[in-house]
Each structure stands twice: as structure tokens, then as C-alpha cells.
Amino acid sequence: MTNLNRLATALCAALPVACSTMFVGVGSAYAQSFLVRPYLQLATPESVVIAWETDEGEESRVDWGPTDELGNQTTGTFDSADGGFLHLVTLDDLEAGETCYYRVHTGSLAGEIQHFVVPADAGTEASLRILAMSDMQVDRSNPQIFGEIIDEGVIPYVREQFGEDLASALSLTLIPGDLVDNGNNISEWRETFFAPAAALSAKVPMYPVYGNHEANTASFTRYFVLPENGTPGFLEHWWWMDASNVRIIGLDSQLPLPQQLDWLDDVLTLACDDDVIDFVFVQLHHPYLSELWVPGESDFSRQVVERVDAFSSSCGKPSVNFFGHTHGYSRGQSQDHRHLWVNVASAGGAIDYWGEQEQRDYDEFTVSDDSYGFVIVETDAGDNPEIRLRRVSRGDLATPLNNLETDTITVPRYNARPDTPRAFFPRGHSVSPDCFELAAGSFGDSDGHEHQATHWQLAESCVDFSSPVLERWRQRTNMYFGVDTQAGDDLSDEEVTALDPEHAYCWRVRYRDSGLMWSEWSTPSAFE
């Protein structure tokens, strides 16, 4: 009870005639209010957690049902900290795939009637549509950006593309870290993260992982209810969950511990053996490599990528690594594995512009872009499972964009190899050591996929390419520093310079399709 309410109560006792008028005035001025509006957590085909925070009141009640008439009532728990009362209510016995309406209550305070769609059972092989975004940490120079990403970006884009009902259009939201700028500042959680996200998070459950700006504060585990299946002692720092035919793994790259990597090995083994799982998505905050901000790279993330690479190749299940930390978009792929690397920033943090940091053009990346935006990932199950990913850009402060799709890729679970290319030239020829071109035949693919990349190797022996004299991996597109450095390259020839004169060499080539499948190597060809 506030001091003013205590004063009003005392005056009512002394002056009962004036009590009702005066107390109503005080009550209306100091009514209960939301510090955090209702949001969804830990949705399964049978249950969901609904959370909200108020400035006063211990009641935690949700009225809910299959229509907006509601009809059911469930109570939950609360805890008080930092001047607020956080309420958690778990709704059980839900019907998988059905729409559920709900309204939260704390004392005289009631929320609006909201709704969500209960996740489908894995056995139904339902499609998924996932929103991925990160680094919405507030930029004090431009504090409105995250709100614009939600209100002018995500919501209108999703409604235009997939239908008016957000709850039906999106299955869940992944957030690989840096939700706030300072995890120790409670007002940032309430005002710069939850408030701008409210229209979305009331209808679509969100699953974040720690970034460095969360600073390992108690607010993260207080506000978020995540799967408690990580290593004991580190619950909610790393976790996994299944959504339809996708295993989603959340990691904490702030804690580069061997226990986490051992746990990851076990979870990947289970995913490999699970016939329902077609894809694995891993989200963590730090990048393995970063074209826009090289100092932000993480050796722990390298170890994660290596493990997921090995999983995808040995199990035949494509994978995606979602990350942030660098404030801009990047999309790349491992050289020898069907594994995508996707930086889904920036959803609010100040952009890492070209030329501002140490930067590097890596072979693995197809596109890097200093921009605000988000990523939509669609997955299909059934006989022909596939992932479809698209980047939706909001541009930057100098050149804003209105939800422009700037990058797309589709990766199927099952993908035939492209045709083995033919090594045309040189084949037994003598060439100039100063400059000549390797030339290969045309690209062919029985699945109708496009030519994505070419891998050239040149060695001193046709029987041993383990230590090539020359090795080049060319992508169809390479957007770097605002320029496509691969524009005009049809990927069928490669210039070679500065070889040793009067020396024997051998070369070979392979082609990759847009579904990340490599052909067999061409027959090695000798030349002098």
C-alpha cells in the first residue's frame, strides 16, 4: 500500500462522510497498472505459461477458453522484486493446434482479451514459421528503433505476407541475445524490451538466450520460462525444445564451459536418432566469424559450429546457427557441410557500419549488410521437408527501407547431388605459368537448383589433394561493403597466376547447388 493510500484510509476512518469521494479520487490516481503486459512462454502442444508484471497486487489469474467468451479460470504464482509483482500462470490440458483466448487479472486490473495458437503435435508434421531477431538493446541516440522494427516492420510484413492473425502466422520468436543494453537496469527490461514487443509477445511465444549485455543478471531467468533440460546448475543457460520437425537448441556463449559442449554433443546425438527431427536450429549470441566486426568473433562459437557441422554431415539433417552480437545482417554457410550461419541483427542496437570496425571478407559468407531488420524462417515437414529463410531489411538511418527482402535461401532435407562437372581446360596442355584460366563444363542439377558455388583445387599430384597448391571457393554472390564482388562470374572458370615454370600440376573442380549440396569432384586433369 502506498503512503497516500494509507493516509486516505486513516482520513476515511476519521471523516466517514467524506470517505467515499476522497478514496475514489486517490484510488483512480493510483490504480494498479502493468509494468509488463502479458506475454507467452514455453508453449507446448498441451500447455503454455502466461506471464505479466504489475506494480501492485498478488492475484495471478487467467480466464481462458476456445472463444473470446473464455469460460475457464486458472490461478498461478507471483514473486515480487524491483518494485514489481511478476505473475506466472500455466494453462494445462490445451488442445494441440487450436486457438486459445485468454485474459489476465490481478485485483481490479484486467488485461485485454488476447489469443494464441497451441503448438501442433510433432507427429502431425505441421509447418512452422519463425521470427528471428536480436540485439534490440536500446541505442540512446535512437531509442525508437526496436518499436519501429515491431510496429512498422514485423507486424505489417507478417500480416501482408501470411494473414492478419499474428498468432496463426507466426509459431515462435527466437532471440539470440542482447535484449537490453544493461541487464542490471530493471527499467530497460520493462520499457525498452517488453513494452515495444507487447503487441507481438502476447500472441507469439518467445525464446531468448543470454547475450553479453544481459550481464548474467537474475532478471533474465526471472522474466523468462525456458526448458529446464540443460546441465544441472546451469538451467535456462542452455536448453533444447522440439517444434514440429525442428530441434531448437539455445546456448549461452557467455559461458564457454566444457560442460555445455558435452551437453550439446548429447542433444545432437538424440536429434540424429530421432526420426521426427529433420532440421536443427542452434541459437547463441556470439559469431564464429564476423565480416562486419572481426573483434566480436568467439572461439567457443567455433567449437559449436564444428559440432553442428559434423552432425549435419553424419546425420544428413541440415542445420542453422542463428546469432547476433555484430549489429548487422550476415548469411553464410560451412564449406563442406549443409549448415547455414545467420546473423539476425540488428533489431535496435546501433549498426556496425562498413568502415567503422576491423572487417574481413570471408569465403563462408554470401552476404553481409549493415542494416536493421529481422529474419523469417519457414519450415515444411512431410515427405519433402525444407527450410526457407528470408531477410527483411529496414535499411539504416541514412537510407531507411520499408521491409525489403534482401536475401533468401531454401535448403531441402533431401537433395540430390548436382551433376559432376567436367574439367575442360587444361587437360594435358602446357600453359603459361604467369596467367591462364581453369575452365569447367556447365552446371546441371536434377532437382532444378541453381549453381551456388564452385570449389577449385590445384595440386602437384593427381592422387593427393590433401595439401593443394591453390584452393579457391567462389560463391555465386558475395555482398561485401555494399558491392557484389562476384557479379558477372558464372562460376565456370578461374584465373590462375604465378605458378612455377616447367612444372607438372593437376587440378579438379566441384559444383555446389543452392540447397548446399556438393557434386562429386571432377576427374583430376594433369597439365604442365
Side-chain angles (χ1 to χ4, degrees):
M1 183 179 290
T2 65
N3 290 334
L4 282 174
N5 279 340
R6 290 191 182 95
L7 176 61
T9 302
L11 289 173
C12 280
L15 302 169
V17 175
C19 178
S20 59
T21 301
M22 179 176 59
F23 198 83
V24 167
V26 173
S28 60
Y30 293 90
Q32 288 173 298
S33 61
F34 287 107
L35 296 177
V36 175
R37 293 193 171 274
Y39 61 98
L40 303 177
Q41 291 286 277
L42 200 59
T44 76
E46 300 85 26
S47 65
V48 72
V49 176
I50 299 174
W52 70 99
E53 189 178 27
T54 58
D55 60 351
E56 290 186 0
E58 299 180 358
E59 183 184 25
S60 306
R61 187 182 101 225
V62 174
D63 295 346
W64 60 279
T67 70
D68 57 10
E69 296 294 323
L70 307 178
N72 302 308
Q73 188 177 105
T74 300
T75 58
T77 62
F78 78 95
D79 73 75
S80 58
D82 300 311
F85 292 75
L86 182 66
H87 308 270
L88 298 175
V89 176
T90 301
L91 305 186
D92 292 311
D93 300 322
L94 302 179
E95 293 292 330
E98 297 299 317
T99 299
C100 178
Y101 293 81
Y102 72 95
R103 187 175 193 177
V104 306
H105 294 267
T106 299
S108 61
L109 180 65
E112 299 176 357
I113 294 178
Q114 302 282 1
H115 70 280
F116 62 93
V117 176
V118 182
D121 284 316
T124 62
E125 298 195 323
S127 297
L128 293 175
R129 191 174 293 118
I130 297 171
L131 166 67
M133 57 181 177
S134 79
D135 294 78
M136 57 281 298
Q137 63 194 78
V138 65
D139 173 7
R140 297 299 176 186
S141 299
N142 300 282
Q144 80 289 350
I145 296 296
F146 182 42
E148 292 178 359
I149 293 286
I150 298 297
D151 295 335
E152 301 175 23
V154 173
I155 292 176
Y157 177 84
V158 168
R159 284 178 169 162
E160 179 182 347
Q161 295 289 321
F162 312 118
E164 281 294 314
D165 183 23
L166 293 177
S168 300
L170 288 174
S171 307
L172 57 97
T173 301
L174 297 179
I175 308 176
D178 279 4
L179 289 68
V180 293
D181 186 57
N182 180 0
N184 293 295
N185 187 340
I186 191 64
S187 66
E188 288 195 14
W189 290 98
R190 293 166 178 163
E191 298 167 15
T192 71
F193 176 72
F194 281 108
L200 179 69
S201 57
K203 297 178 173 64
V204 182
M206 56 184 171
Y207 299 89
V209 294
Y210 281 93
N212 54 296
H213 281 267
E214 275 69 62
N216 197 26
T217 54
S219 294
F220 186 93
T221 51
R222 179 172 180 261
Y223 278 121
F224 299 111
V225 182
L226 299 167
E228 294 189 344
N229 49 21
T231 305
F234 300 97
L235 299 183
E236 296 190 293
H237 283 272
W238 47 88
W239 47 267
W240 67 271
M241 57 176 280
D242 290 341
S244 187
N245 62 332
V246 180
R247 174 147 300 173
I248 298 171
I249 302 173
L251 300 177
D252 185 351
S253 54
Q254 283 290 104
L255 294 176
L257 301 173
Q259 300 97 304
Q260 187 170 185
L261 294 172
D262 293 342
W263 174 89
L264 175 61
D265 289 337
D266 293 340
V267 174
L268 290 173
T269 297
L270 292 173
C272 185
D273 295 337
D274 192 329
D275 292 339
V276 174
I277 300 302
D278 293 311
F279 308 104
V280 166
F281 294 170
V282 178
Q283 66 163 346
L284 75 172
H285 184 59
H286 293 81
Y288 164 22
L289 299 177
S290 173
E291 290 195 325
L292 283 163
W293 185 36
V294 173
E297 297 172 353
S298 161
D299 187 67
F300 174 78
S301 297
R302 174 190 62 79
Q303 295 177 74
V304 169
V305 168
E306 289 175 351
R307 283 164 164 78
V308 182
D309 277 348
F311 158 82
S312 284
S313 289
S314 63
C315 298
K317 299 181 179 184
S319 54
V320 184
N321 172 23
F322 297 108
F323 57 93
H325 199 48
T326 301
H327 293 180
Y329 173 72
S330 291
R331 194 262 296 171
Q333 43 277 316
S334 296
Q335 177 174 285
D336 295 315
H337 314 275
R338 302 184 71 207
H339 175 69
L340 286 176
W341 310 2
V342 187
N343 184 343
V344 298
S346 167
I351 292 173
D352 291 323
Y353 286 103
W354 289 115
E356 288 187 346
Q357 313 283 349
E358 180 187 352
Q359 293 159 344
R360 191 170 301 159
D361 188 0
Y362 287 112
D363 287 344
E364 287 82 358
F365 286 100
T366 300
V367 56
S368 289
D369 183 31
D370 53 350
S371 65
Y372 298 111
F374 54 94
V375 168
I376 298 291
V377 186
E378 298 176 88
T379 69
D380 289 338
D383 294 335
N384 297 296
E386 67 177 18
I387 305 166
R388 297 182 300 278
L389 180 147
R390 66 183 87 177
R391 167 65 170 187
V392 183
S393 178
R394 301 285 300 161
D396 58 27
L397 295 173
T399 310
L401 298 175
N402 186 21
N403 299 337
L404 180 66
E405 293 181 10
T406 56
D407 185 39
T408 63
I409 188 170
T410 298
V411 180
R413 163 78 191 274
Y414 305 110
N415 186 8
R417 289 180 181 271
D419 298 343
T420 303
R422 184 181 178 190
F424 271 159
F425 183 87
R427 297 175 63 191
H429 301 83
S430 294
V431 299
S432 167
D434 299 322
C435 182
F436 69 97
E437 282 192 345
L438 302 173
S442 59
F443 175 82
D445 187 277
S446 61
D447 296 334
H449 294 131
E450 296 181 332
H451 191 175
Q452 167 66 32
T454 298
H455 189 183
W456 309 88
Q457 285 187 333
L458 189 153
E460 294 188 338
S461 167
C462 285
V463 296
D464 183 10
F465 283 84
S466 60
S467 298
V469 175
L470 176 146
E471 184 163 25
R472 291 179 186 161
W473 177 24
R474 302 296 190 190
Q475 308 281 359
R476 182 181 61 193
T477 303
N478 182 41
M479 291 299 302
Y480 182 80
F481 223 112
V483 176
D484 182 3
T485 65
Q486 280 293 97
D489 187 353
D490 69 0
L491 302 177
S492 66
D493 51 45
E494 182 69 16
E495 184 178 280
V496 179
T497 61
L499 292 183
D500 293 335
E502 299 183 9
H503 196 87
Y505 292 97
C506 192
W507 71 281
R508 64 180 185 173
V509 62
R510 62 176 178 166
Y511 286 162
R512 194 180 209 179
D513 68 21
S514 55
L516 303 186
M517 183 66 77
W518 284 107
S519 70
E520 299 287 356
W521 286 101
S522 66
T523 301
S525 294
F527 68 97
E528 294 182 357

